[in-house]
Amino acid sequence: QVQLVESGGGSVQSGGSLRLSCAVSGITLRHYTIAWFRQSPGKEREGVACTSGVDDDIYYSDSVKGRFNIVRDNAKNAVYLQMDSLKPEDTAVYYCATDGFCYSDTGARPSEYDYWGQGTQVTVSS
């Protein structure tokens, strides 16, 4: 049984940092693409970062490029999302997901991912 468990969310002020963790069990993560998505009320789920299990390509959405960093730790079967210079518009529930695709130009599409974590809330105040 594949399980993904996110942690590390919380409340920070604008300009602050958070590090999200996603612990994966039931698969050997090094063979899989993994992505971080986020969703805020009234908006569609958005792919913010992904790392390919095929060629190690990494993608960031324009909204987070230069501020977020996705790191895969295959030894721990985990993936992290380091989020710096946070903005109020980054407020959302953040999800990790695996067994999908990471496109070099458009990133990750939620409909293509089979396994999801439960999400962790990130709130950035101005």
Side-chain angles (χ1 to χ4, degrees):
Q1 182 181 3
V2 180
Q3 288 189 320
L4 293 84
V5 179
E6 301 100 335
S7 60
S11 297
V12 295
Q13 290 192 327
S14 182
S17 297
L18 283 173
R19 184 180 187 238
L20 304 183
S21 300
C22 176
V24 182
S25 60
I27 59 170
T28 301
L29 188 58
R30 69 168 63 91
H31 302 308
Y32 288 80
T33 293
I34 190 157
W36 285 97
F37 295 86
R38 67 185 181 188
Q39 189 167 22
S40 51
K43 293 188 177 181
E44 292 187 353
R45 193 164 293 190
E46 170 194 16
V48 297
C50 56
T51 172
S52 171
V54 175
D55 54 14
D56 292 328
D57 274 354
I58 292 178
Y59 167 88
Y60 296 98
S61 67
D62 288 343
S63 59
V64 307
K65 196 174 296 181
R67 301 188 298 120
F68 289 15
N69 187 33
I70 185 171
V71 178
R72 177 199 295 260
D73 187 336
N74 290 329
K76 294 185 178 180
N77 229 42
V79 65
Y80 308 96
L81 187 67
Q82 177 66 41
M83 306 186 297
D84 299 321
S85 302
L86 283 162
K87 304 175 182 180
E89 50 264 44
D90 294 318
T91 295
V93 178
Y94 283 72
Y95 301 88
C96 61
T98 192
D99 199 11
F101 299 95
C102 182
Y103 301 99
S104 60
D105 54 349
T106 57
R109 301 169 186 166
S111 61
E112 295 180 352
Y113 281 73
D114 289 335
Y115 303 106
W116 292 81
Q118 81 287 353
T120 185
Q121 176 71 46
V122 172
T123 303
V124 185
S125 57
S126 57

